[in-house]
Each structure stands twice: as structure tokens, then as C-alpha cells.
């Protein structure tokens, strides 16, 4: 039986297990109950055991949901080992009035299911399970399976792998927390932008002063802040902070129509910036004002504003150093004196980007496998998001090739209301991951791993 036929016989069971897993509200954010996170952990342990995995450990770190670390020995001493990653926690549902059905009641949609976390990342956990079942628990490579429970909020596990590298030793990794650019289009993610944040604030007066008596001479903190923020972009909307890296994007990207629909851009509104969408979204920087403190319109008084602040989010090229990127933005702001008024800039957290090598045997095997899974040629994309653990794993096992693909797609509404996954994507991802293990093992047997 070929892989496609074998996976077809498994789909009913896999979708049933996906429903069971997704019905558990495993939100690992502060203020949410911890018991559902433990329930998801325990269900996955049971599912792994049922799929033939015998070596399963629980890794407990301070202030962190338990990490499942499992192992399937290689079938022969010379077979490679592949690490399979996913996470069982999910984003909070947000405003439940925006959902068409309760977020933790998996509900049929055209060609799939809707629920919080069903795409990010529980469908990808089921992909790993499907691969184990397809091979009867005995895949052609060794496996290390790492399933964490606090990825969405962040945890001590992000930095743990380099402190215990022996636990993660492998030849290649499949980071199944990504997916396709669009349904039916197999996609390898080959870049993750880095991220940083800062707060910029202005204080000019002891307290508000009547705008009629003092406006026009008294230094207005909000005006100064807005003038400073306006320098971050040029007339086209491109980032104007000197030194932030931007390169041409040569992979696949969205069409203008796709992006406008995904972003919910209103009719008649232009997209900002210049160059290709891939360049604006993935291989170039973005600066976003994600919050601002100022008097609200509804409660505004006729007064000069004495204090204002804003929080900025910076996304930068996958290979740019995080501290360098944040430092360039800080330097830009600190050099400004809008109306002669100094700004106070407080740097925040940074997270590195990631850009894996793409010329090795694992990538060649993955290219063949994705073509088999989806029946069409794969493409390369990048992501504006970040997966902090990837860098920790790369430091722990610097020689391992790292692949990012999975059952999500960019239209699945992850982190948004009415998140969904398509059964066709789930099926294809199982076939592709199983085919990858077969192709990668064959490359090792044939000695074609150079």
C-alpha cells in the first residue's frame, strides 16, 4: 500500500483525535486554569503510547507547562534521527462574540473543522501522530519527539535546549508550527523575522494647561511624540531607520488580492511601502506602533498634553543581530529633538530571527516529500512571525538541518476568531512528513548526504 492509501485509512481516527485534543481549552496564559493544559499533555502521552512510542519522559522546568520528550530508536545503527516538534497549548480565544461557534467546540466547516488552536498547533501534533501510525510505530528513521505546552505565552523552555544538548541530538528537525502560503500549495518556510520592542515617552509639563491660554508656546508632549513617530517611515511607508537590513525577496509571496483579503484591508485603502510583498513582509524591516498613551477623544479636555508615550514593535531581517536592530531604532529616536524636546527611550525584549541553510540532504528529501504530499511543486516563503525555540534548538544541535512546514495555511485564521484547519491539508501534511522520513533514510543508506 502506498503512503497516500495508508494515510487515507487513518484519517477518520486522526480527525477524531484532533477533535478530542482541540476540545481541551489548553491556554497556558496567566489567569487561565492549568488543569486543561495538563489534560492535553496527558491525552498526547496516551496517543503516543497507542501509536507505539515506548520511551516517553516529562520535562518540568520552573514556571513552565510540562514538555513531552519521547524517543523512537533508529531501526539500524546507521539510520538518521529526526526531531519532530510541536506545541499543545493554544492562544486565548479572545472576544468569543466574534466566533461563529464556541471556540472549544470543534465545529464542521467546508472541508475541515473550526476551533481555537486547531491549526496552531494541534493539527501538527496530529500530523506527527499520523506518521507514527502510518509506520506502525516503527519509522525508517529514529525519532525524537518534543511537544511543549507553553509556546504561545513563552517559557523557560525557549532557552533550555543549549543547556541539555544531549536530549535533542538529531540529524534534522521538523518544526511543525508552520504551514502553506495558501491551501494546496506545499511550502517550506526558510526565514523568520526577528522581533524587538521599545517604549518612547515624552514629558513636558507638570500637568495639563488650558490650550487657549498656553497652547502655541507650551510644549505639547503628544505633538512631540507624533512628530517623532512620523520620522520612522518615508513618504512611501518604507521604514526610514538607517541600518535596518532589507533585501530583495526571491521566493514565493502573496498576490496583492490575497494579502488585501487576509489583512482585511478596506476598499480604496492602499498598501504601504514599496517593493514586493515578500520584501515588505519578510526580508525587510517593519516598525509598528502597537500602543499609545494619550488622552482619549471621548474624555479630552481643552488642554495642552503634558505626557504621552508609545510602544513600538520592530520586525527585522532574519539574519540581523537583534541587539543591533533594536539599537538602531533606539539611536534614531534618541537623536530626535522634536520642537527641541528630548525623548526618553526604553528598550524592551528582543528575539532573534532565523534563516536555515537550504542546500542539504534534509531539504532535498523534504522537497521530494512535499511534492508527494500535495501533488505539486513546493515553494519557499518566509514568515514575519517568530518561534523563539528554533534558535535554542539550533544552538543545541548546530549541525542539524531545520525544516519548517505543516498543516496550517495562511488563511486558517490562527490567533484570530474562527480558526480552522482543512482535512486536505492535514492529509497532505501526514503524507509529506512520512515521505520525508522515508526519503531522508534512503539518502543516508545511499550515502548521498553530502
Amino acid at each position: 500500500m502506498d503512503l497516500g492509501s495508508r494515510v487515507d485509512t487513518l484519517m477518520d481516527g486522526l480527525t477524531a483525535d484532533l477533535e478530542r485534543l482541540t476540545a481541551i481549552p489548553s491556554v497556558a496564559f496567566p489567569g487561565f486554569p492549568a488543569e486543561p493544559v495538563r489534560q492535553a499533555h496527558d491525552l498526547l502521552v496516551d496517543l503516543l503510547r497507542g501509536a507505539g512510542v515506548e520511551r516517553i519522559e516529562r520535562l518540568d522546568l520552573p514556571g513552565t507547562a510540562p514538555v513531552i520528550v519521547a524517543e523512537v530508536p533508529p531501526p539500524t545503527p546507521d539510520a538518521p534521527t529526526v526531531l519532530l516538534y510541536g506545541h499543545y497549548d493554544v492562544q486565548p480565544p479572545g472576544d468569543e462574540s466574534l466566533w461563529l461557534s464556541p471556540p472549544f467546540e470543534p465545529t464542521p466547516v467546508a472541508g475541515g473543522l473550526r476551533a481555537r488552536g486547531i491549526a496552531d498547533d494541534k493539527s501538527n501534533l496530529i500530523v506527527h501522530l499520523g506518521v507514527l501510525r502510518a509506520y506502525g510505530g516503527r519509522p525508517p528513521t529514529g525519532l525524537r519527539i518534543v511537544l511543549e505546552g507553553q509556546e504561545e505565552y513563552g517559557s523557560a523552555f525557549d532557552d533550555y535546549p543549549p543547556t541539555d544538548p544531549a536530549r535533542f541530538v538529531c540529524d534534522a528537525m521538523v518544526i511543525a508550527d508552520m504551514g502553506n502560503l495558501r491551501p494546496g500549495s506545499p511550502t517550506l518556510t526558510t526565514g523568520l523575522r526577528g522581533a524587538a520592542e521599545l517604549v518612547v515617552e515624552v514629558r513636558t509639563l507638570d500637568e495639563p494647561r488650558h490650550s487657549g491660554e498656553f497652547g502655541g508656546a507650551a510644549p505639547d508632549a503628544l505633538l512631540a511624540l507624533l512628530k517623532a513617530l512620523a520620522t520612522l517611515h518615508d513618504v512611501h511607508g518604507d521604514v526610514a531607520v538607517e541600518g535596518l537590513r532589507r533585501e530583495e525577496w526571491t521566493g514565493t509571496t502573496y498576490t496583492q488580492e490575497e494579502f488585501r483579503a487576509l489583512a482585511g484591508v478596506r476598499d480604496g485603502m492602499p498598501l504601504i511601502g514599496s517593493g514586493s510583498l515578500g520584501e515588505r513582509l519578510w526580508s525587510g524591516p517593519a516598525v509598528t506602533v502597537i500602543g499609545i498613551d494619550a488622552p482619549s477623544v471621548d474624555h479630552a479636555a481643552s488642554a495642552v498634553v503634558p505626557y504621552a508615550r508609545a510602544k513600538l514593535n520592530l520586525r527585522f531581517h532574519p539574519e540581523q543581530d537583534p541587539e543591533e536592530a533594536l539599537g538602531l531604532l533606539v539611536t534614531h529616536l534618541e537623536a530626535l529633538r522634536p520642537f527641541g524636546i528630548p525623548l526618553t527611550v526604553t528598550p524592551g525584549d528582543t528575539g532573534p530571527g532565523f534563516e536555515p541553510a537550504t542546500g542539504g540532504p534534509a531539504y532535498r528529501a523534504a522537497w521530494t516529500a512535499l511534492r508527494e504530499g500535495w501533488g505539486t511543486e513546493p515553494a519557499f516563503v518566509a514568515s514575519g512571525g517568530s518561534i523563539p525555540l528554533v534558535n535554542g534548538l539550533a544552538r543545541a544541535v548546530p549541525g542539524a538541518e531545520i525544516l519548517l512546514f505543516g498543516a496550517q495555511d495562511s488563511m486558517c485564521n490562527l490567533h484570530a476568531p474562527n480558526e480552522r484547519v482543512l482535512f486536505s491539508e492535514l492529509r497532505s501534511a501526514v503524507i509529506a512528513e512520512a515521505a520525508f522520513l522515508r526519503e531522508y533514510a534512503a539518502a543516508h543508506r545511499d550515502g548521498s548526504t553530502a
Side-chain angles (χ1 to χ4, degrees):
M1 188 183 298
D2 65 23
L3 270 180
S5 299
R6 197 180 313 164
V7 171
D8 285 339
T9 67
L10 300 171
M11 283 300 295
D12 286 347
L14 293 174
T15 55
D17 288 330
L18 179 59
E19 289 191 47
R20 291 172 62 199
L21 185 60
T22 312
I24 301 173
S26 51
V27 179
F29 279 59
F32 287 82
E35 181 57 29
V37 179
R38 290 191 291 268
Q39 289 174 357
H41 169 278
D42 294 347
L43 174 57
L44 283 168
V45 169
D46 290 343
L47 291 173
L48 288 171
R49 285 203 180 102
V53 181
E54 298 176 359
R55 302 181 187 176
I56 304 175
E57 297 180 13
R58 170 176 167 151
L59 175 62
D60 288 298
L61 298 174
T64 300
V67 181
I68 300 168
V69 182
E71 185 177 353
V72 177
T76 61
D78 60 343
T81 294
V82 175
L83 185 149
L84 305 179
Y85 167 82
H87 64 88
Y88 61 88
D89 64 306
V90 302
Q91 279 281 320
D95 184 352
E96 296 193 23
S97 69
L98 300 176
W99 286 76
L100 299 176
S101 55
F104 294 105
E105 291 182 14
T107 302
V109 297
L113 286 170
R114 175 175 60 236
R116 168 55 84 225
I118 200 160
D120 181 20
D121 188 40
K122 291 180 176 178
S123 60
N124 286 320
L125 304 181
I126 297 300
V127 170
H128 297 331
L129 187 68
V131 170
L132 287 164
R133 290 177 181 173
Y135 284 117
R138 297 294 177 265
T141 69
L143 294 180
R144 292 185 184 272
I145 302 167
V146 178
L147 311 179
E148 69 166 313
Q150 202 169 303
E151 189 272 349
E152 297 290 3
Y153 182 71
S155 75
F157 188 57
D158 290 346
D159 300 313
Y160 177 79
T163 71
D164 187 12
R167 193 185 290 271
F168 305 97
V169 169
C170 61
D171 299 285
M173 306 180 194
V174 176
I175 308 299
D177 193 11
M178 302 299 297
N180 293 335
L181 185 69
R182 58 184 66 88
S185 299
T187 304
L188 279 167
T189 298
T190 58
L192 302 171
R193 274 200 300 198
E197 291 185 345
L198 62 75
V199 172
V200 55
E201 55 189 319
V202 188
R203 187 177 295 279
T204 57
L205 305 172
D206 292 333
E207 58 188 18
R209 284 290 185 261
H210 191 291
S211 59
E213 294 185 17
F214 297 94
D220 187 317
L222 184 54
L223 279 180
L225 178 63
L226 295 176
K227 189 171 180 64
L229 297 179
T231 70
L232 298 174
H233 298 83
D234 65 17
V235 295
H236 305 293
D238 293 316
V239 172
V241 177
E242 187 174 351
L244 289 176
R245 186 169 169 181
R246 176 168 174 162
E247 296 177 355
E248 182 182 358
W249 175 252
T250 58
T252 303
T253 188
Y254 301 109
T255 66
Q256 292 266 344
E257 293 74 19
E258 284 175 330
F259 182 78
R260 294 180 70 88
L262 286 169
V265 178
R266 292 182 172 235
D267 290 344
M269 286 293 105
L271 302 184
I272 67 169
S274 62
S276 73
L277 279 173
E279 198 171 321
R280 282 179 269 176
L281 297 171
W282 302 326
S283 61
V287 179
T288 305
V289 180
I290 60 174
I292 192 162
D293 288 338
S296 69
V297 171
D298 289 342
H299 299 94
S302 296
V304 180
V305 175
Y307 173 76
R309 68 173 180 164
K311 188 171 188 177
L312 307 185
N313 178 266
L314 169 66
R315 301 288 169 153
F316 48 88
H317 187 282
E319 291 190 326
Q320 187 155 29
D321 178 78
E323 296 301 329
E324 177 192 38
L326 180 58
L328 290 167
L329 181 56
V330 170
T331 298
H332 176 96
L333 290 166
E334 288 182 337
L336 300 174
R337 291 291 187 273
F339 312 120
I341 298 168
L343 308 176
T344 300
V345 184
T346 305
D349 293 336
T350 64
F354 182 73
E355 190 165 84
T358 58
Y363 264 84
R364 292 193 292 272
W367 194 266
T368 299
L370 266 68
R371 186 191 303 119
E372 181 173 339
W374 275 271
T376 189
E377 284 296 311
F380 288 135
V381 301
S383 172
S386 58
I387 306 175
L389 179 68
V390 171
N391 288 281
L393 289 170
R395 294 196 304 273
V397 195
E401 290 184 75
I402 299 180
L403 311 167
L404 296 99
F405 66 91
Q408 303 170 16
D409 65 82
S410 64
M411 303 171 187
C412 69
N413 283 350
L414 75 166
H415 292 210
N418 303 306
E419 181 179 349
R420 64 100 181 104
V421 76
L422 299 176
F423 295 140
S424 58
E425 297 299 286
L426 179 64
R427 174 187 181 272
S428 293
V430 176
I431 295 170
E433 188 170 287
F436 166 69
L437 299 185
R438 183 197 66 213
E439 294 294 317
Y440 192 47
H444 269 255
R445 287 195 306 271
D446 297 342
S448 54
T449 58

